[in-house]
Structure formats: C-alpha cells, structure tokens
Amino acid sequence: MSLPALDNLNVKRQEVLITPADLKQELPISAAAAQCLQAGRRTIYDILERRDHRLYIVVGPCSIHDPEAALDYARRLRELADELSDTLFLVMRVYFEKPRTTTGWKGLINDPQMDDSFRIQEGLHVGRRLLLDILELGLPTATEALDPISPQYLQDGICWSAIGARTTESQTHREIASGLSCAVGFKNGTDGSLDVAVNALHAASTPHRFLGINHQGQVSVITTKGNPNGHIVLRGGSAGPNYDSVHVKLCENALEQAGLPLNIMVDCSHANSDKNPELQPLVMENVGHQVLEGSCSLIGLMLESNIGSGRQAIPEDLSQLKYGVSVTDGCLDWENTAASLRQLRAMLRDILPARTQYA
C-alpha cells in the first residue's frame, strides 16, 4: 500500500542554488573593497559610541533595479562624501530586497529581469558584483536584512543593515541581526510603536541558536554571539510622523528605561514625510535644528534618493524605463539631495564636535 504525498503539496519546483562559498570564490572581495568595508563599519561603531562626532547618513535609492544607474549614483555620492566628510559620513543605500504588503516586484535578488522569471542565482551574482564595485569606489554600503538566507551570500559587502518596520517584531529577524557582522538599525513598528524596536534591540544583543545555512550551503544550527551595535530608527507610523523633538524625547525615555544606549536615527521617508519624497529635506532640517538645540541622541538619518525624482511603474517594455528613477517608493532627485546634505553640513559643522559626550 503506497502512502499519499504529505509534503510540498503546494510547491511547484525546487532549484538548487550556488553555495555562498562558490559565489564568493567567483566574485571575491578585493583588498580595496575589504579596506573600505572595515573602515565603514568601524566609523559607524565610533559614531554610535561617540568616538566620532559626525552623523552618518544612509542615502540612496529606495531599491536597486538598474546596476548601471546605481553605479552612476554611487560615483556622484562618492564625490559628495569627500566634500562633506568633516561633518557627515555618507553610506549608500543598496537595497536589493523589498517587503511587499500584498504583491509586487520583490527586488533585484529575487527578480533581476523584472519579468517574474525569478532568476535568483543571477540576482545574487548581480547584487554581489554591485556591492563590490561600490566598495571599490571607496563608498560604504547599507541594505535591509530581509531574507534569512541571503546574508551568507552578501553580508561581507555590507557596512550597515536595517531591519524594517514589518520585520522588527519577527523573531527570525532578531536572531539574524544577533549574528550580523555590522551595526543594525531596527525601525519602529508600522503603527509607530517603539516597544517592538526596543524589544528587538534587547533580543538582538543576546546570543541565539537557529536554523540557517553555512558557507557550503548546508542546513546548520547557527549560534550567534549577540550584536552589541544595534540602535533604533524612527520612521513614523499610522498615527503620523515621529521625528519631532517630543517623539525623540519619548524614544530617549524608552531606551533609557530599557537600559539601552541613546542612539536614534531618523528615517526622513515613509510616514515621517507622509510618503512625499519632496518633504524629506524638511525632516532633515528639523533634525538638524534639534542637534543645534542640544540633542545628543540623534546619530544619523536615512534618505531615499535617486538620480531622478519620484517613482515610475514597471512597464511591460522595460526599454521604456526612465533612467535613474525608482520603481518602488518615490525618491528625492540628486540635485535636491546634494543641496539638502550641504545645508545640513553647514548647519552642524561647528556644533557637532562640541556635542556632549555620553559616558
């Protein structure tokens, strides 16, 4: 008597991927890229621990869909980073995976051809090559840790990671963050609540054991040390923005009561700008004024920016895509990005070195 099929009933196909070790052998990190990566991570640690007086700014496209345009943006940002380096430490957003509320394009790793062909192995190659190219320019990189498997393929090319508002409450993502090799920003919940992010910071700072893969692609029990370099990211919520001084103070109180470092980043996009990318400079200016008025907990900002402004739908004919324009959330254009960052630097250049030091 044969037994009926009991598992994989809704699975259509399974494809074996290249292992992380083989991908890294095909696309090894160069000495120059490794040096940029280590220096970028160290600078962010120093900012979090107040050994470096600067703010760090995670800035770049909402998501990467065109590696050529992304490198064009990176070259522009590299020049600006040098210009502003006495006050601001610029880190490029290189977001490959997009969480979807319902359906939609899931990002360069999942669907590099943007046609629902889901050539994930190709996406891993394209994504890793782009990370290495940006690092070789001397520009630090940032991404969102969304998929629990992809960090083994890409994390050696990342200087800073975010855990998004939809996943901050996820135990899986807290466990992943506890083992990441870089600083991690946890966003507040989509409703604007701080509790989930504060709890996530506690969880990620402690050791964990969970299922994952190793560099050889084998399913393994991963044991982590805990990540001491976590902080909170205020991105607003369903109740509205939370970047103003009152909300920042409430966040400081929550962190202090939890015995956590007072490190707060403000995401200028999402609910903080009412999803209007053109309002992001106003959020940035407000945060700058809070620093001028004595805030010492604000250590960074996030900004969604691209070569062109706004967003575009993905057309059936991909040759009709506008160059340097987001296909996910709307972005601030390059000219206004550079102008607003220069303004922030001018505002804070003299005050940041004198900010009160935390013990």
Side-chain angles (χ1 to χ4, degrees):
M1 175 180 172
S2 61
L3 293 174
L6 299 175
D7 63 352
N8 294 331
L9 298 182
N10 289 319
V11 174
K12 182 177 180 180
R13 183 174 60 252
Q14 293 180 342
E15 177 185 353
V16 177
L17 284 176
I18 188 173
T19 69
D22 287 343
L23 181 64
K24 292 175 183 180
Q25 186 172 15
E26 287 185 24
L27 296 171
I29 189 166
S30 67
Q35 183 177 9
C36 176
L37 179 91
Q38 290 178 315
R41 288 177 177 174
R42 186 170 57 249
T43 297
I44 291 170
Y45 299 153
D46 286 346
I47 291 172
L48 292 174
E49 296 175 12
R50 304 307 189 277
R51 292 189 295 264
D52 189 318
H53 68 266
R54 294 177 290 177
L55 301 182
Y56 68 94
I57 314 294
V58 176
V59 54
C62 172
S63 61
I64 301 294
H65 71 275
D66 178 355
E68 180 183 347
L71 270 178
D72 182 354
Y73 184 96
R75 293 186 185 100
R76 302 176 191 214
L77 192 64
R78 181 68 181 88
E79 290 186 14
L80 187 64
D82 286 342
E83 178 186 338
L84 310 182
S85 63
D86 60 351
T87 304
L88 307 176
F89 182 68
L90 303 189
V91 181
M92 181 168 165
R93 283 179 61 111
V94 192
Y95 278 39
F96 294 132
E97 303 170 281
K98 295 304 297 179
R100 312 312 306 181
T101 302
T102 52
T103 59
W105 185 62
K106 293 183 179 179
L108 188 73
I109 298 296
N110 278 275
D111 191 14
Q113 296 293 327
M114 303 178 74
D115 60 0
D116 291 336
S117 58
F118 295 99
R119 300 178 186 177
I120 293 176
Q121 183 145 299
E122 177 186 338
L124 288 169
H125 280 82
V126 172
R128 183 169 176 84
R129 178 70 269 166
L130 179 60
L131 284 173
L132 299 182
D133 287 344
I134 292 172
L135 288 168
E136 285 170 6
L137 290 174
L139 192 61
T141 53
T143 197
E144 179 176 348
L146 181 60
D147 183 274
I149 300 298
S150 60
Q152 290 285 14
Y153 291 92
L154 303 175
Q155 262 291 312
D156 64 326
I158 299 297
C159 299
W160 180 86
S161 291
I163 303 294
R166 296 176 181 86
T167 47
T168 287
E169 198 167 3
S170 159
Q171 181 63 23
T172 296
H173 290 82
R174 294 174 179 187
E175 291 170 345
I176 292 170
S178 76
L180 293 181
S181 301
C182 60
V184 180
F186 285 91
K187 293 194 175 183
N188 62 250
T190 53
D191 62 353
S193 63
L194 299 176
D195 290 349
V196 293
V198 171
N199 291 339
L201 288 170
H202 270 302
S205 68
T206 61
H208 288 276
R209 290 178 177 84
F210 56 91
L211 291 176
I213 65 167
N214 64 14
H215 280 176
Q216 286 68 47
Q218 298 168 310
V219 177
S220 306
V221 176
I222 309 296
T223 302
T224 68
K225 298 178 180 178
N227 191 336
N229 297 298
H231 63 85
I232 200 164
V233 181
L234 299 180
R235 49 85 74 196
S238 55
N242 63 359
Y243 63 85
D244 60 272
S245 59
V246 173
H247 281 93
V248 169
K249 183 60 178 176
L250 290 172
C251 185
E252 290 175 352
N253 292 342
L255 292 171
E256 192 168 27
Q257 289 171 11
L260 295 168
L262 304 189
N263 287 322
I264 301 171
M265 172 182 271
V266 169
D267 181 352
C268 297
S269 186
H270 299 99
N272 275 337
S273 62
D274 197 27
K275 297 185 178 180
N276 180 349
E278 303 302 320
L279 297 181
Q280 291 181 98
L282 297 179
V283 180
M284 187 183 305
E285 183 180 9
N286 181 286
V287 172
H289 281 295
Q290 290 183 55
V291 174
L292 280 176
E293 291 165 5
S295 173
C296 293
S297 63
L298 293 163
I299 47 80
L301 292 159
M302 296 187 72
L303 188 69
E304 290 190 335
S305 157
N306 214 322
I307 295 170
S309 62
R311 66 172 302 277
Q312 61 184 322
I314 299 175
E316 288 189 17
D317 180 2
L318 296 180
S319 68
Q320 300 301 309
L321 280 169
K322 298 175 184 176
Y323 181 78
V325 176
S326 174
V327 297
T328 47
D329 290 349
C331 292
L332 191 67
D333 67 277
W334 173 252
E335 288 73 19
N336 282 304
T337 297
S340 61
L341 288 172
R342 288 187 176 109
Q343 180 181 353
L344 184 67
R345 182 241 186 167
M347 181 187 299
L348 300 180
R349 179 173 50 192
D350 296 330
I351 190 69
L352 279 181
R355 281 216 296 185
T356 301
Q357 300 287 306
Y358 285 122

